[in-house]
Amino acid sequence: MTRLVLSGLSKRYGATAALDAVSLAVERGSRVAIVGPSGSGKTTLLRVVAGFEAPDAGTVVLDGQVLADGPAIAPAHRRRIGFVAQDGALFPHLDVAGNLGFGLERDEPDRARRLRELIDLVELDPAMLSRKPHELSGGQQQRVALARALARKPALMLLDEPFSALDTGLRESVRESVTRVLAKAGVTTIMVTHDQGEALSFADQLAVMRGGRLVQAGRPYEVYWRPVDIETALLLGNAVVLDATIEAVGVSCVLGRLAAETGGRSGRARIMLRPEQFRLSLAGPGPQAVIEDIDFRGGQCAVTLLMVRDGAETRFTAHVPSMDLPELGSAVFVSVNGAALLLGRTG
Amino acid sequence: MPALPLRRQRNLAGRTMLLLAGGAALCALLPLGFIGWIAIETGWQTALALIWRPRVGELLANTLLLEICTLPPAILLALALAWLTERSDMPGASFLSWLTVAPLAVPAFVQSYAWVSLFPRFHGLPAAALVSVLAYLPFLYLPVAAQMRRLDPELEHAAASLGQSPARIVLRVVLPQLRLAVCGGGLLVGLHLLAEYGLYAMIRFDTFTTAIIDQFQSSYNGPAANMLAGVLVLSCAGLIGLEWLLRGHARYARIGSGAPRPAPRRKLGRWRLPALALPLALASLGLGVPALTLSRWLMAGGDASWQQGALAAAMATTLGYAAAGALAAVAAALPMAWLSVRAPSRATRFLESCHSYPGALPGVVVALALVTVTVRIALPLYQTVATVVLAYVLMLLPRALVGLRAGIAQVPIELERAAASLGRNPARTLLAVTLPLAAPGIAAAMALVAMGVATELTATLLLAPNGTRTLATEFWALTSELDYAKAAPYAVLMILLSLPMTALLHAQARKTLNA
C-alpha cells in the first residue's frame, strides 16, 4: 500500500527552479534517502512535504489525504509529520523532558511513563530528562530531537541531514542507533543527505536529485550499479569511464572483451566500471598494466594503473584488497568482475 | 480521517512587518529631510551669508582642535589599558577592566560639573579635552579590549616562526587586527564630541552644539541655528567618511574553523605593580573626582538637599519618560529587527540603514528638526510629551534595534518550525517558543533605551513642555544658578540609574567574545 505520493511538485525562487516536476511514491514503513549535491532542491522538497513551504504546483498526498495542491496547503502543525532538523532544533529554554513532552497533549495520562519510554527508545539514560540541551553532546541532542518527533506517533518522519553536524566517529554510531529506532517504531521515513555512504546504508529506497529534478529512484543496489548517467554514478562513488566498441555480445575496450547489456545498440559507446570491479594478478588473465601509484587506505588500496596499447596511454584507478599487493612499478594483469555499464550516448 | 482544509500562505506577518518598518524608517528620515528642506528654503545666498562668518570659522576650529586633542590620547590610552587588562598578568585585571568602564555611568555633564565645581577656573580647550577623554574613554576601551581578547594567538606564533621580532609582531600583526575596533570606537567618541552640549557648556568651551542651543534660547533665530545645525551634520558626515577611509575594506575574520584558544598573558615581571599606576590614575580622575565632588557637596548640603520635593518629582518624571521612551523605541524598532533577522534582503538592508543613521546625528539636530516641524506643520504637538518621546525614539532607535536583533536571533526559524511539526499552531508557538526565548533580549534593549533617556539633556531642554522637570534638566537648572549643593543629589540619582547600563554593556562586550 502506498502511503506518500508526491506528484509534479514544482517550486521556483526567482529565476531558479528549486523543484522541477518532482514525482515520488513512498511505501508504508520504508526508509527513503534523498541524495544530491547542495542546491539540488532536496531540502526544499522536504520543507514542502513538512508544510513549511508551499509548492507552486503539484500535490502532496499522505494516506489519501491531500496536504498540498499547488499553493494551497494544509498548515504544518496539523499534518502529523515529524521533522528532525540538521542541528536538532531543541528548545534551549526547556530541559530534555520539556522538549520530549512538547508535542504531547497537556492532559496526556501517564506523561512520566511516556517520557521514560521515549528516552529508552532512543537509548539514552533517564537521568538526562532533567538536563538542558546545551549540556548534551551533539549525538545526544539528535537522539532527543528524534524522540521528540516520535512522541506524537507521526505518520511520516522527515530527517534533514540529521547527522551532518556530528563528528565522523560519532556519526556512524548515531546513524545506526537512529536506523534501529525508526525500524522499531516502523515509521515511514524520508532522509535528506549529501553523504552517499549515509544514504546507501540507511535507505531501502534511494532518490537522486539534481538541479531540482528527481533523476533516479530505486533500490540503493540498483542505483549504485545501474545509474542513469555518469553524474549520478559519481555522486554515489568513484567510477572509471572508458571508450568501447559494442559487439554482438558485450563490449570490447582496452581491457578486452567485457560483459554488458547493449540493449540493441551498436557502434562506439562509453562504458562505466566501479573501481572495485578490478582484479589484479601476477599470472593473468587479462591485459597487462603498470602500477603507477598506490594509495594505502588500510584494508583497501586505491591503485593507479597505466596501460599502454597501440601507443595510447590509459590511466585508471582500481580499489583492491591491500593484502598481497604487488610492488609499486610492477606489471600486473587486470581482469574485470561482473558487467560494464553502457552510458547513454550523451552521458 | 477528516480532510484538512487547504489554504494559500499569504505571508501576512512579513508584509505587515515591512509596512511598519517602512513607516518607522520614514519617521527616522525626518531629521535628514529637515536639513535638506532648510537648505533649499534658506537659499544659497542667505545660507552662505549665515555660514561664511568668522564665528562659524571659530566654532569649526574649536571643534577640530577638540577632536585632535581628544581622540589620539584616548586611542593610545584605550590600547594600553586593553593590553594591560586582557593580555598582561597585571594583578586584578578583571576588576580594573570594570573600573575602566565604570565612568560610563557618570553622565558627561556630571563629569564636567565635578571638575568645574572643584576647580572653578577650569576652562577652555585643555579642560574640555581632559574631561572628554575621561568621559568617553570607555567607548574606545570596550571594543578594543573585546577585539584584543578575540585575537588568535596562533597568528602571533605564526609571525614569530616567520622570524618577526616581538615589536614587529605588534606592529604588523596585532595592531592591524585592532584597526576596526579602534576606528569604530574612535568614530563613536568623535560623534559624541560633536553632539555633547552639557559637558562643554559647563566648562564654557564653545562648540557647534553649544552655539546652536545658545542661538536658539537667546533669539529663536531659526535660520541661523538651522544653518549651524547643517554645518554640524556635515561635520558628522565628514567624520563618518574619514572613518570609512581609515577602516579600509579588508576583512579581518579568522580563517579556519573552531574557536580560537584564549591568548596567553604576557608576564610583566618587575613592571607588574608599576603597571597598575595607569588604570588607577585614570580611575581616580574619572571616578575619584566625581566621587569627591559629589560627597563634598552632599555633606555641605546636608539632609536638606535630599528633602527637596522637586527631587522626588523629577525622579518620577524621569522614570515616566524613560518607560515611555523605552516602550515606544522598542515598538518602533521591532518590525525592523524582525525583518533583518528573518527576511534579510537588499530592501531590508536599506530600511535598516534608515533606522540606524539617526544614531550618528547629534540630539540637538533631531530636536531642532522636531521643533521646526511641529511649529510649522503640527503646532498642537509643539512642546508636548509626544514630541519629546518621538525625539527619544529617533535618537535611541539604533540602540533598540541592536538589542532587539540579538533577542530575535535567539529564536531561529528552525525552532518555530520544530514547534509547528510538533503540532503547535502559530499563536501557541509564539507563546511557548518565540516570546520566552526573545524576552531577555527585548528586556535588555528596553533597559538600554530607558537608561539613555534618563540622562538625556539636550533634546529634553529644547522639546519638553514648559515646567517639565527631569533629573537632567533640573540638575542643569540648578548648576546654571551655581547651586552646586542642591544639584548633587540629582547627579547621584542619574549615576545610580546609569549603573545597570554600564554593567550591561560590559557584560555584552564580554559575551560577544565568548560567542
Side-chain angles (χ1 to χ4, degrees):
Chain A
M1 178 191 166
T2 298
R3 272 219 121 167
L4 176 72
V5 182
L6 313 178
S7 45
L9 284 178
S10 295
K11 182 161 183 70
R12 306 186 72 83
Y13 293 111
T16 49
L19 294 179
D20 187 0
V22 173
S23 298
L24 182 69
V26 178
E27 302 301 314
R28 173 196 287 273
S30 68
R31 289 196 301 275
V32 180
I34 302 177
V35 271
S38 55
S40 58
K42 53 192 194 305
T43 295
T44 306
L45 183 65
L46 214 59
R47 286 203 202 129
V48 164
V49 175
F52 302 145
E53 283 181 52
D56 297 336
T59 58
V60 177
V61 180
L62 180 63
D63 274 339
Q65 186 156 62
V66 180
L67 295 180
D69 185 0
I73 63 170
H77 66 272
R78 300 187 60 183
R79 290 192 175 195
R80 294 190 52 235
I81 294 179
F83 189 88
V84 176
Q86 220 172 88
D87 55 0
L90 295 183
F91 302 117
H93 59 306
L94 301 176
D95 58 10
V96 170
N99 269 287
L100 289 180
F102 193 88
L104 297 177
E105 293 304 323
R106 237 172 250 169
D107 48 2
E108 164 100 15
D110 276 344
R111 196 185 168 86
R113 193 180 51 80
R114 282 283 288 145
L115 295 184
R116 197 49 204 260
E117 274 173 19
L118 286 167
I119 202 99
D120 282 344
L121 182 67
V122 292
E123 299 157 5
L124 287 175
D125 189 341
M128 284 192 178
L129 283 171
S130 57
R131 299 251 187 101
K132 281 291 184 82
H134 67 89
E135 295 169 316
L136 305 181
S137 72
Q140 291 167 341
Q141 289 185 17
Q142 279 315 65
R143 280 188 261 181
V144 172
L146 180 70
R148 180 178 73 176
L150 284 172
R152 288 171 52 78
K153 304 203 169 83
L156 175 68
M157 179 69 87
L158 305 176
L159 310 175
D160 184 7
E161 307 213 14
F163 314 116
S164 66
L166 305 180
D167 293 335
T168 342
L170 199 59
R171 241 172 141 149
E172 208 161 318
S173 70
V174 176
R175 185 176 68 216
E176 279 165 12
S177 129
V178 165
T179 314
R180 222 167 24 242
V181 170
L182 288 169
K184 222 189 289 176
V187 54
T188 315
T189 305
I190 302 181
M191 175 174 81
V192 150
T193 177
H194 62 259
D195 181 326
Q196 30 89 11
E198 202 163 283
L200 291 170
S201 82
F202 173 84
D204 42 39
Q205 193 185 356
L206 194 66
V208 179
M209 286 194 71
R210 208 162 53 231
R213 304 183 70 93
L214 188 75
V215 289
Q216 192 173 5
R219 289 188 305 121
Y221 181 90
E222 192 67 21
V223 181
Y224 182 81
W225 287 109
R226 306 192 58 81
V228 290
D229 52 25
I230 187 68
E231 286 87 354
T232 305
L234 289 173
L235 191 69
L236 298 176
N238 293 315
V240 173
V241 176
L242 299 169
D243 286 319
T245 312
I246 300 173
E247 310 262 313
V249 178
V251 294
S252 75
C253 63
V254 283
L255 294 165
R257 267 169 194 273
L258 301 177
E261 259 182 52
T262 55
R265 280 167 61 183
S266 61
R268 295 198 59 78
R270 296 210 296 155
I271 57 166
M272 184 209 91
L273 292 163
R274 293 288 185 189
E276 54 275 21
Q277 284 181 271
F278 297 108
R279 293 282 175 275
L280 307 185
S281 62
L282 294 171
Q288 267 199 319
V290 177
I291 298 183
E292 244 194 1
D293 190 27
I294 297 176
D295 183 6
F296 184 68
R297 293 176 184 175
Q300 261 205 342
C301 282
V303 177
T304 308
L305 296 159
L306 174 66
M307 190 175 268
V308 183
R309 208 172 183 192
D310 306 332
E313 290 189 346
T314 308
R315 249 187 210 87
F316 56 94
T317 302
H319 291 173
V320 295
S322 59
M323 262 183 91
D324 306 324
L325 192 75
E327 297 269 309
L328 190 65
S330 62
V332 290
F333 294 92
V334 183
S335 61
V336 174
N337 248 16
L341 179 76
L342 234 66
L343 293 170
R345 252 167 267 260
T346 51
Chain B
M1 204 184 292
L4 288 176
L6 301 187
R7 280 216 188 85
R8 277 168 175 268
Q9 289 180 314
R10 289 184 203 283
N11 192 16
L12 268 181
R15 284 191 211 172
T16 315
M17 291 293 187
L18 201 61
L19 207 69
L20 291 174
L26 270 183
C27 278
L29 285 173
L30 206 78
L32 205 63
F34 155 76
I35 295 291
W37 179 31
I38 55 156
I40 294 166
E41 194 196 50
T42 315
W44 190 235
Q45 294 283 317
T46 326
L48 210 60
L50 283 171
I51 292 170
W52 205 254
R53 287 183 299 154
R55 172 72 178 146
V56 176
E58 204 179 291
L59 292 173
L60 206 56
N62 265 2
T63 306
L64 212 62
L65 280 173
L66 180 64
E67 297 274 358
I68 292 172
C69 292
T70 306
L71 276 177
I75 290 171
L76 288 179
L77 283 171
L79 286 170
L81 285 167
W83 188 81
L84 281 174
T85 54
E86 300 298 340
R87 298 293 297 272
S88 82
D89 67 341
M90 184 174 66
S94 74
F95 171 71
L96 289 169
S97 162
W98 275 100
L99 220 52
T100 310
V101 179
L104 268 189
V106 184
F109 53 90
V110 172
Q111 184 74 256
S112 71
Y113 149 86
W115 285 83
V116 166
S117 64
L118 200 61
F119 308 108
R121 301 168 65 84
F122 193 65
H123 292 307
L125 180 62
L130 174 67
V131 178
S132 305
V133 169
L134 292 177
Y136 297 128
L137 184 59
F139 286 132
L140 263 160
Y141 169 79
L142 274 176
V144 172
Q147 183 63 29
M148 192 91 85
R149 251 192 131 182
R150 203 172 351 199
L151 289 185
D152 187 354
E154 294 308 327
L155 289 178
E156 286 157 60
H157 297 163
S161 75
L162 293 169
Q164 303 289 317
S165 68
R168 287 182 63 84
I169 291 177
V170 169
L171 213 61
R172 294 185 60 187
V173 177
V174 177
L175 284 181
Q177 295 187 79
L178 296 176
R179 189 155 116 182
L180 281 183
V182 168
C183 283
L187 177 66
L188 196 58
V189 173
L191 288 172
H192 268 91
L193 299 179
L194 288 178
E196 177 60 26
Y197 167 66
L199 194 170
Y200 304 114
M202 188 88 76
I203 50 177
R204 279 181 264 149
F205 180 77
D206 286 347
T207 67
F208 277 110
T209 301
T210 63
I212 291 168
I213 291 184
D214 286 348
Q215 187 84 259
F216 182 82
Q217 285 179 332
S218 61
S219 59
Y220 270 101
N221 188 343
N226 287 348
M227 278 306 111
L228 286 179
V231 179
L232 181 57
V233 170
L234 284 183
S235 311
C236 291
L239 211 55
I240 293 169
L242 187 67
E243 193 259 353
W244 187 75
L245 283 179
L246 290 177
R247 187 180 52 189
H249 304 286
R251 284 178 54 224
Y252 295 101
R254 233 177 119 254
I255 296 166
S257 59
R261 276 187 321 117
R265 289 178 177 263
R266 173 65 68 91
K267 297 234 184 311
L268 292 174
R270 59 200 174 91
W271 288 101
R272 205 162 166 250
L273 290 178
L276 285 171
L278 184 66
L280 288 180
L282 275 169
S284 61
L285 292 179
L287 295 171
V289 169
L292 184 71
T293 320
L294 284 175
S295 49
R296 214 182 81 182
W297 288 120
L298 285 178
M299 279 201 276
D303 285 349
S305 56
W306 287 103
Q307 279 154 6
Q308 321 166 44
L311 185 65
M315 181 72 178
T317 312
T318 303
L319 289 180
Y321 272 118
L327 279 174
V330 165
L334 194 60
M336 188 66 246
W338 189 89
L339 283 175
S340 62
V341 175
R342 285 294 176 83
S345 71
R346 199 172 288 193
T348 58
R349 270 193 292 279
F350 170 74
L351 280 183
E352 202 175 339
S353 42
C354 291
H355 278 68
S356 302
Y357 92 94
L361 278 186
V364 68
V365 175
V366 173
L368 269 188
L370 290 184
V371 166
T372 312
V373 170
T374 50
V375 166
R376 299 231 193 144
I377 299 174
L379 193 57
L381 285 177
Y382 179 57
Q383 289 202 328
T384 58
V385 176
T387 314
V388 191
V389 172
L390 180 58
Y392 293 151
V393 168
L394 292 183
M395 292 163 66
L396 297 168
L397 203 55
R399 211 187 261 194
L401 188 59
V402 170
L404 286 176
R405 256 193 329 231
I408 294 174
Q410 291 302 307
V411 200
I413 187 129
E414 284 73 21
L415 290 185
E416 290 183 357
R417 286 186 175 154
S421 77
L422 293 168
R424 296 281 170 110
N425 64 32
R428 287 182 66 200
T429 299
L430 187 73
L431 286 178
V433 176
T434 316
L435 281 181
L437 283 170
I442 296 175
M446 284 177 106
L448 282 179
V449 173
M451 288 181 268
V453 171
T455 54
E456 210 288 330
L457 176 64
T458 325
T460 318
L461 278 179
L462 293 189
L463 290 171
N466 281 327
T468 302
R469 286 169 176 177
T470 67
L471 290 175
T473 60
E474 196 60 11
F475 170 83
W476 191 248
L478 288 168
T479 53
S480 306
E481 295 158 14
L482 301 183
D483 197 343
Y484 291 146
K486 261 188 159 178
Y490 291 92
V492 171
L493 286 181
M494 279 189 282
I495 292 174
L496 288 181
L497 283 179
S498 306
L499 271 177
M501 172 176 80
T502 312
L504 209 61
L505 285 176
H506 194 253
Q508 271 179 357
R510 296 246 142 182
K511 206 159 78 184
T512 46
L513 1 149
N514 293 336

